[in-house]
Amino acid sequence: MSLKRHRPNSYAVPCLILTLVAVFASGSTSGVGLIDQALTDLQVLYLFDNPRTIDWPTLYYLNDTYACHVDLLTVTSGNGFYYQTRDVPDKGIAVHRFEIKTNDQSLLDSLIDVQFRSRRPDVVIVGSTEPGSLVQRLGERILRLAPQTGSIYAIRKVYRDVTNVADSTVTGPVVTIQRREMYDRFADRIRLEVSQLYDWFQSEPLAETRLMRYEMIREHGTSGNSGPDFLSGLEPLRLLPLLDTLLAGGAVKESFVNRARLFQTFFDAARRTVGAKRVDNAMAGHKALLALSDQIASEPTLSGLPELKPYLEDLAARAQKAVLGEIGMNWEGTILLRDSPHGPKLKFRASLSVYGPQPIELSYIRFRPYWDTTEIILDSISRKIAPHQSFVREYLVDIERTRLEATMPESLVFAAEVVYGSVPMTVFSSIPIWERPELQIEFQPDFFFVPPVAKIEVDRVVSAMNWKAVITKPRYYHGTVTLNLETPRGLFAGAYKQTWELDKDRISETVRIPFSVSNLFELGIQPQTITLAVDGRVVATDTAIIRIAACEIDDKVAVGLMPDTTGILEDILRMAGANYRPLTDRTYQTGDLDAYTVILVGSGALRQFPSFRTITGRLEEYLRHGGSLVVLGQPSDWPEGALPVSFVPSAEQVAALELLNRIPEARLLSAPYVISDNNLLAWLQMRRKVAAAVVSPAEAVYVTPTGATLLSVTRLDEGQIIFCGLPLVEMISQLNIEAIHLLANILNY
């Protein structure tokens, strides 16, 4: 697995040892091979929100069947602009994760520029996304990109996942994939390779048999009918069509086309043969491609085309990689950085192993400084390495100390020329001077609301609170890190530990940050940023949001909490200053329920409370004697008969304009806080999924077009059951002030 991280204007961090291994293995027994990849230059871009919803069977179908490169891309909210790439070596699958400021929409254009700086993909697939998410907005921007006329690369097709979309809204051609069949076909690759991209991934047999459906929503420049597949109408290798387009008919064109056909013919023959014949075919194809590249470089009508040279270089690199794998060679370059009285000294260790049938000649090893254009020859003595033998040697590289501590993320490039069967080839080891430590820091939770401050004449601190941040790291990492907190105007951080010694055997550290607010704190949502630095260089950041919002819970209200599956509900109660206590399953069996004014049931809470299903009688008695039960939106596995009223969850997709407020003057919406429908439901301006329910009997306040309720009160003698199917926890986590007020109204009811 290869991991690359990128942050503009980041700083270099010297490391004790850095290693880059370029391993070329012939004929993989599973998955797409290097020769297949050399014969295909198609790329697919897959956009996704949640890595757990990625349609791996479909992506592996494209990668394995067509040998095309598959890039997966997601974008999340963060501070500034940061991106990270992980890939599965030699398999043509990579994941790109971007973080951008949510309120800076221009960064989406920067993201597209970065991702498409070398080329545009041929096919874009928009996977499962949440309405209004950054990924969905990114997909819309890509869809609006103007076609690049005259370019080698262009987005030819765009698809979207319509698996769960009504047929009435699907108007374009649809590609249908049998997910279970594809999963079974590529299960071994999925199990072995996806875990290299996501450490938490565990492959489990699919029980579902559903069909995945993708609608084509844009097509441009394809040849013929779009067909029933993603890549129908697209040429796997654009070399021949490109030459046919760029050159006029005649002997010159015929010469170019013949060499291109030789390359394809020999590589296709190598794909279908084994042993020495396979190697000979691959070598012959590579020779033909090198000759074609030289011929194009000398042709005035072609040499001036800006995209043609990078295209041929990429094609030649893929072809050479396939040939190196076939001849049986393992090249490894390693940097050893040692301390000395005169500063750090650098050694380069070169290792060449041969496991093929013929010897390989190592002609020279050169060093290419990033700060100069002149190469430095480290070794010019030609050596032949026999089959099943290795050559290993260390070279002292004289580099100024300032170069090793450079404030730029450049790499040290070492080049070695090898000769096989009189054909010279150059391999590279591009080794970074530094490697960003695998450290993260996160606010937990990433939002906070504080009560309004008192009105006083001078700027004095009138309220004190506490926030928490968590540092996470690999178990092997140890060292000193420093924290820095950037606060909005009017918010003051108290004393907290800013320098941390991270121990080797711990994977996390918790930082508690006391803070206070004053009259200078501005209204509205304000950002607060924390940074984590190593040797003065920032390696991780996180941004949380904070605002002033009243949420007064009467001191007489005692809340018994059944936590939601995220745990965020408990954080919200703590911010509100509520008098609450988390309940246990035994409380429902033998505890005194009358000790609680309100029992608050978080979403999905019943999975941890099996006794709740058996205490309907006790619960009804609690309610009839004045107790209040508040049920937030629940999943479909809610047990039947758990409440003394009929309660059936019914998830729906709704928009704000579709909701009906049957009781505008309802106490839930007016006391102690008057709630604006428009502001409360602004979160639903775009159609979203909500956890509605059919509750009977009930006084419904908000109802959906189907008649299900999103907010209701059911009275039982002196008590009541309040149901709220609005995504209250999520809305509060985005600091919707009306959602915060609604929670206070519900608990004070």
Side-chain angles (χ1 to χ4, degrees):
M1 187 257 321
S2 154
L3 174 62
K4 304 173 186 175
R5 303 172 190 83
H6 317 268
R7 186 185 297 274
N9 301 322
S10 57
Y11 292 94
V13 180
C15 294
L16 294 180
I17 180 168
L18 300 173
T19 304
L20 179 72
V21 182
V23 180
F24 303 100
S26 63
S28 174
T29 57
S30 65
V32 58
L34 296 176
I35 288 181
D36 297 303
Q37 293 180 52
L39 286 171
T40 304
D41 48 33
L42 294 176
Q43 280 196 12
V44 174
L45 178 66
Y46 179 85
L47 306 181
F48 67 95
D49 260 336
N50 186 344
R52 298 181 187 275
T53 64
I54 294 173
D55 183 12
W56 292 113
T58 296
L59 298 181
Y60 270 87
Y61 159 70
L62 289 168
N63 175 259
D64 201 285
T65 305
Y66 296 101
C68 60
H69 188 93
V70 176
D71 288 302
L72 296 89
L73 187 149
T74 189
V75 54
T76 56
S77 299
N79 181 50
F81 188 89
Y82 164 78
Y83 60 104
Q84 179 188 78
T85 298
R86 287 182 180 233
D87 66 354
V88 181
D90 299 337
K91 295 299 181 183
I93 296 178
V95 174
H96 309 271
R97 184 175 66 86
F98 285 79
E99 291 181 6
I100 67 173
K101 285 183 178 179
T102 308
N103 57 358
D104 191 349
Q105 296 302 308
S106 65
L107 290 180
L108 283 176
D109 296 324
S110 300
L111 186 160
I112 292 174
D113 291 339
V114 169
Q115 187 67 25
F116 296 168
R117 62 187 166 191
S118 59
R119 60 164 292 180
R120 288 189 178 186
D122 300 281
V123 176
V124 176
I125 301 175
V126 182
S128 176
T129 59
E130 291 293 328
S133 69
L134 285 170
V135 174
Q136 186 188 60
R137 279 180 271 172
L138 174 63
E140 293 170 353
R141 293 208 176 193
I142 291 176
L143 192 62
R144 293 196 299 267
L145 287 176
Q148 287 184 316
T149 55
S151 173
I152 292 178
Y153 304 108
I155 299 174
R156 313 287 288 280
K157 296 182 180 183
V158 180
Y159 290 85
R160 69 177 181 116
D161 184 354
V162 291
T163 303
N164 300 314
V165 175
D167 290 338
S168 58
T169 63
V170 177
T171 57
V174 174
V175 175
T176 303
I177 301 291
Q178 222 300 345
R179 192 164 186 260
R180 173 65 177 274
E181 177 187 345
M182 294 303 162
Y183 181 88
D184 291 342
R185 185 185 302 181
F186 307 116
D188 290 340
R189 287 194 63 196
I190 293 174
R191 182 179 66 254
L192 294 174
E193 296 175 10
V194 178
S195 58
Q196 299 180 51
L197 302 172
Y198 293 101
D199 298 334
W200 48 261
F201 180 82
Q202 291 183 345
S203 179
E204 298 178 357
L206 281 181
E208 58 180 312
T209 58
R210 63 173 172 153
L211 299 176
M212 299 298 297
R213 301 167 65 243
Y214 293 91
E215 177 195 11
M216 187 172 69
I217 54 179
R218 174 179 164 182
E219 184 177 20
H220 170 75
T222 58
S223 57
N225 197 321
S226 61
D229 209 344
F230 295 99
L231 304 180
S232 298
L234 302 180
E235 288 286 345
L237 187 68
R238 67 198 75 206
L239 181 60
L240 278 172
L242 191 59
L243 294 176
D244 188 58
T245 303
L246 296 175
L247 294 170
V252 174
K253 177 177 180 178
E254 191 66 25
S255 174
F256 279 92
V257 170
N258 285 340
R259 281 207 167 100
R261 283 177 178 158
L262 276 176
F263 160 67
Q264 289 187 259
T265 301
F266 278 119
F267 259 62
D268 189 59
R271 182 166 52 182
R272 294 181 281 105
T273 53
V274 295
K277 190 65 176 175
R278 181 183 178 97
V279 176
D280 291 342
N281 284 326
M283 292 293 297
H286 188 233
K287 284 183 182 179
L289 183 60
L290 292 178
L292 175 65
S293 298
D294 292 340
Q295 187 178 4
I296 289 176
S298 62
E299 176 63 33
T301 59
L302 298 179
S303 59
L305 297 176
E307 284 189 319
L308 186 59
K309 183 180 178 181
Y311 169 74
L312 290 173
E313 289 176 347
D314 176 68
L315 181 59
R318 286 186 281 122
Q320 177 176 291
K321 189 175 183 180
V323 169
L324 290 173
E326 296 305 322
I327 67 178
M329 191 189 87
N330 181 0
W331 164 259
E332 178 180 340
T334 306
I335 278 184
L336 300 175
L337 195 60
R338 305 294 189 191
D339 289 328
S340 77
H342 305 288
K345 295 294 182 182
L346 184 143
K347 284 185 178 181
F348 174 69
R349 176 181 291 166
S351 174
L352 177 64
S353 300
V354 178
Y355 53 88
Q358 296 184 27
I360 294 177
E361 181 181 351
L362 178 63
S363 296
Y364 65 78
I365 298 176
R366 296 177 181 176
F367 168 50
R368 297 182 176 181
Y370 68 83
W371 58 88
D372 200 349
T373 57
T374 305
E375 291 186 337
I376 299 172
I377 298 177
L378 300 181
D379 195 338
S380 59
I381 300 175
S382 180
R383 300 175 176 84
K384 282 194 175 182
I385 296 90
H388 310 294
Q389 299 295 319
S390 298
F391 168 78
V392 180
R393 185 170 177 179
E394 291 184 355
Y395 302 91
L396 182 64
V397 184
D398 188 16
I399 300 179
E400 295 180 16
R401 180 174 182 175
T402 55
R403 302 294 187 188
L404 296 177
E405 298 175 351
T407 58
M408 59 181 70
E410 298 291 349
S411 295
L412 304 179
V413 179
F414 295 85
E417 183 178 279
V418 297
V419 180
Y420 181 89
S422 74
V423 178
M425 290 172 285
T426 304
V427 293
F428 297 94
S429 292
S430 179
I431 309 176
I433 299 172
W434 64 281
E435 218 172 63
R436 177 179 174 270
E438 187 72 18
L439 302 177
Q440 296 291 335
I441 187 164
E442 294 180 334
F443 282 109
Q444 291 188 359
D446 60 357
F447 66 96
F448 210 106
F449 60 86
V450 299
V453 297
K455 300 296 182 182
I456 52 180
E457 294 298 327
V458 294
D459 176 30
R460 296 295 181 94
V461 172
V462 295
S463 180
M465 282 138 291
N466 185 280
W467 216 336
K468 181 174 70 173
V470 176
I471 304 171
T472 55
K473 69 175 189 66
R475 190 175 296 275
Y476 63 81
Y477 182 85
H478 61 92
T480 303
V481 298
T482 56
L483 301 177
N484 182 54
L485 190 68
E486 298 177 16
T487 60
R489 182 172 180 265
L491 188 148
F492 305 95
Y496 65 95
K497 188 176 179 181
Q498 293 181 284
T499 302
W500 288 77
E501 292 291 337
L502 302 182
D503 296 330
K504 188 173 183 180
D505 294 328
R506 296 173 65 92
I507 62 173
S508 67
E509 296 286 354
T510 300
V511 183
R512 299 199 177 273
I513 304 172
F515 69 94
S516 305
V517 295
S518 74
N519 288 322
L520 295 177
F521 191 87
E522 298 177 356
L523 297 178
I525 297 175
Q526 306 295 330
Q528 178 164 296
T529 302
I530 192 169
T531 59
L532 186 67
V534 175
D535 294 332
R537 290 105 178 180
V538 174
V539 296
T541 65
D542 192 33
T543 298
I545 52 177
I546 184 171
R547 78 173 301 165
I548 290 176
C551 187
E552 294 185 8
I553 311 297
D554 195 305
D555 293 339
K556 298 178 182 178
V557 175
V559 180
L561 174 64
M562 296 171 62
D564 62 320
T565 53
T566 67
I568 295 178
L569 189 54
E570 186 170 1
D571 294 324
I572 293 172
L573 292 179
R574 191 180 301 113
M575 295 176 201
N579 174 22
Y580 77 96
R581 179 182 299 174
L583 300 178
T584 65
D585 191 56
R586 186 166 178 78
T587 303
Y588 287 111
Q589 300 177 44
T590 61
D592 182 11
L593 299 182
D594 291 338
Y596 305 100
T597 314
V598 179
I599 294 177
L600 178 57
V601 184
S603 181
L606 261 61
R607 295 167 184 167
Q608 305 300 323
F609 291 84
S611 293
F612 193 89
R613 300 163 170 80
T614 64
I615 61 153
T616 306
R618 289 194 71 202
L619 191 61
E620 183 174 358
E621 182 180 359
Y622 162 77
L623 292 168
R624 294 191 181 280
H625 285 83
S628 180
L629 178 69
V630 177
V631 181
L632 301 185
Q634 298 297 322
S636 58
D637 59 358
W638 178 276
E640 184 179 355
L643 297 180
V645 297
S646 175
F647 180 84
V648 181
S650 174
E652 295 185 30
Q653 294 272 355
V654 299
L657 293 176
E658 298 173 337
L659 296 181
L660 175 63
N661 185 345
R662 287 184 173 174
I663 315 176
E665 69 282 0
R667 183 178 160 194
L668 282 174
L669 301 179
S670 57
Y673 299 102
V674 177
I675 293 175
S676 163
D677 279 355
N678 290 336
N679 294 337
L680 176 66
L681 302 179
W683 194 84
L684 294 172
Q685 288 302 319
M686 298 184 65
R687 185 178 298 274
R688 291 178 182 267
K689 189 175 182 178
V690 294
V694 178
V695 187
S696 180
E699 299 173 12
V701 181
Y702 289 127
V703 295
T704 68
T706 65
T709 181
L710 277 180
L711 185 64
S712 67
V713 178
T714 300
R715 306 183 189 280
L716 279 81
D717 292 344
E718 298 180 14
Q720 63 272 326
I721 298 174
I722 300 175
F723 169 69
C724 181
L726 292 167
L728 204 59
V729 171
E730 186 174 355
M731 294 166 71
I732 293 176
S733 69
Q734 296 178 14
L735 298 184
N736 181 312
I737 196 166
E738 301 294 354
I740 297 171
H741 290 167
L742 179 59
L743 176 67
N745 287 0
I746 289 173
L747 296 181
N748 287 312
Y749 191 84

